[in-house]
């Protein structure tokens, strides 16, 4: 067991050492998956609450469709919590994570917001504070987050901020 732990630690340290420096540096996929998408959540209620908050705070709503099993979804979350993305999200958006199961859960929500989850996740939609669809990811723009940079998320947030 010590050898496994040491190998994981060594791999993590090497990944950090060889990664390019800077805010826009590409990150290695996470070693530990974070619980982001709840199968028990009620996305309709979550979206209604997010819209209410967005109206009160003059923000937009981002619907993030994905699953905890999805490495690219995990990388998107990492990028969303890096600077300046975390600040942009806090100031301009309310985020709702929508669990898609194995592409068989909350499909009606994805369809309503014109997000073809079968093309891949993470998949995003942006709503104004009244629930009007402003953007839906139709061409797998974020499906390969591991190949993208944090600055790609920054560009997206700046484009759609309220």
């Amino acid at each position: 067991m010590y050898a496994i732990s040491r190998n994981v630690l060594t791999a993590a340290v090497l990944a950090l050492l060889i990664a390019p420096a800077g805010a826009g540096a590409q990150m290695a996929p996470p070693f530990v998956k974070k619980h982001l998408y709840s199968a028990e959540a009620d996305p309709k209620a979550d979206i209604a609450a997010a819209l209410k908050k967005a109206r009160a705070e003059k923000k937009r709503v981002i619907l993030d469709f994905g699953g905890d099993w999805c490495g690219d979804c995990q990388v998107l979350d990492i990028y969303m919590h890096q600077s300046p993305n975390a600040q942009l999200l806090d100031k301009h958006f309310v985020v709702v994570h929508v669990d898609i199961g194995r592409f068989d859960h909350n499909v009606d929500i994805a369809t309503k917001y014109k997000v073809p989850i079968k093309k891949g996740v993470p998949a995003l939609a942006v709503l104004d504070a009244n629930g009007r669809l402003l953007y839906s990811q139709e061409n797998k723009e974020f499906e390969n987050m591991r190949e993208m940079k944090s600055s790609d998320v920054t560009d997206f947030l700046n484009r759609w901020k309220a």
Side-chain angles (χ1 to χ4, degrees):
M1 178 140 179
Y2 176 74
I4 292 172
S5 297
R6 185 174 178 189
N7 288 341
V8 169
L9 180 61
T10 301
V13 170
L14 284 174
L16 289 172
L17 289 175
I18 63 173
Q26 186 171 341
M27 293 183 59
F31 289 98
V32 178
K33 292 187 179 179
K34 187 175 173 184
H35 180 59
L36 302 169
Y37 306 91
S38 173
E40 292 78 35
D42 178 353
K44 291 177 184 171
D46 292 346
I47 292 167
L51 288 170
K52 183 177 180 179
K53 181 176 181 177
R55 280 190 298 276
E57 298 178 8
K58 311 263 189 283
K59 294 181 179 183
R60 291 187 170 168
V61 175
I62 293 179
L63 304 181
D64 175 6
F65 294 86
D68 286 346
W69 51 265
C70 168
D72 289 298
C73 299
Q74 298 288 327
V75 173
L76 175 61
D77 185 69
I78 289 170
Y79 288 169
M80 284 184 161
H81 287 89
Q82 291 178 341
S83 186
N85 299 336
Q87 294 81 7
L88 284 166
L89 281 169
D90 185 55
K91 184 174 181 180
H92 300 284
F93 299 96
V94 179
V95 178
V96 177
H97 292 92
V98 181
D99 177 61
I100 57 124
R102 292 292 179 169
F103 299 99
D104 60 355
H105 196 226
N106 295 313
V107 176
D108 59 326
I109 306 288
T111 301
K112 177 179 179 176
Y113 293 105
K114 300 179 182 175
V115 176
I117 58 174
K118 295 279 186 196
K119 287 186 176 183
V121 290
L124 304 176
V126 178
L127 312 177
D128 71 11
N130 295 311
R132 187 177 58 120
L133 181 65
L134 301 174
Y135 167 84
S136 66
Q137 180 180 323
E138 297 178 0
N139 297 309
K140 307 188 297 185
E141 291 91 341
F142 292 103
E143 179 194 18
N144 295 312
M145 281 307 305
R146 287 175 277 195
E147 304 297 323
M148 298 175 76
K149 298 177 285 191
S150 182
S151 61
D152 295 321
V153 175
T154 307
D155 293 343
F156 175 82
L157 295 175
N158 278 321
R159 179 174 179 201
W160 293 106
K161 67 185 179 183

